[in-house]
Amino acid sequence: MQDTPEHIRQKQFEIIAQKSNAEKLKMTMEMIELSLQMAYDLIKRQNPHFSHREIIAHRFEMLYKDCFNEEELQRIKKFLLSVE
């Protein structure tokens, strides 16, 4: 998305630059957690019959399909489905 005006973007960077490394790390972890939860919720809405493990496996596939070949991806998904 590129809908934020440049002067606003600069102000955002200034605010973030003033934060400590610990605060920046905390913000980053919160954003990662939020994005994973949003992906989980989307999959659950689209596939209400999926179990928790099926959602986790599908989310992994969505996020990392370009990082692994098909064989590796299926092996990882199989493992994620088998974890209790």
Side-chain angles (χ1 to χ4, degrees), residues 1-83:
M1 285 177 34
Q2 297 292 335
D3 59 349
T4 304
E6 187 58 33
H7 70 282
I8 299 296
R9 188 185 324 270
Q10 281 299 326
K11 188 64 175 172
Q12 290 171 330
F13 283 118
E14 289 170 18
I15 291 168
I16 292 169
Q18 292 173 1
K19 296 192 176 296
S20 70
N21 286 340
E23 289 173 308
K24 291 176 197 173
L25 177 60
K26 183 177 183 242
M27 288 172 51
T28 300
M29 299 305 291
E30 288 170 351
M31 285 188 272
I32 291 169
E33 186 176 328
L34 176 62
S35 66
L36 290 172
Q37 187 61 51
M38 290 172 67
Y40 185 98
D41 293 343
L42 173 66
I43 296 165
K44 183 68 174 171
R45 274 195 314 276
Q46 292 175 339
N47 304 279
H49 59 283
F50 273 18
S51 69
H52 173 71
R53 297 306 322 163
E54 288 172 315
I55 294 170
I56 297 296
H58 190 75
R59 181 178 67 185
F60 182 87
E61 182 176 30
M62 277 177 51
L63 295 172
Y64 298 105
K65 66 180 178 251
D66 297 331
C67 299
F68 298 96
N69 67 42
E70 188 61 29
E71 182 181 323
E72 291 172 313
L73 190 59
Q74 293 309 313
R75 192 176 77 244
I76 294 167
K77 283 180 61 181
K78 183 178 178 181
F79 171 77
L80 290 172
L81 289 167
S82 71
V83 175

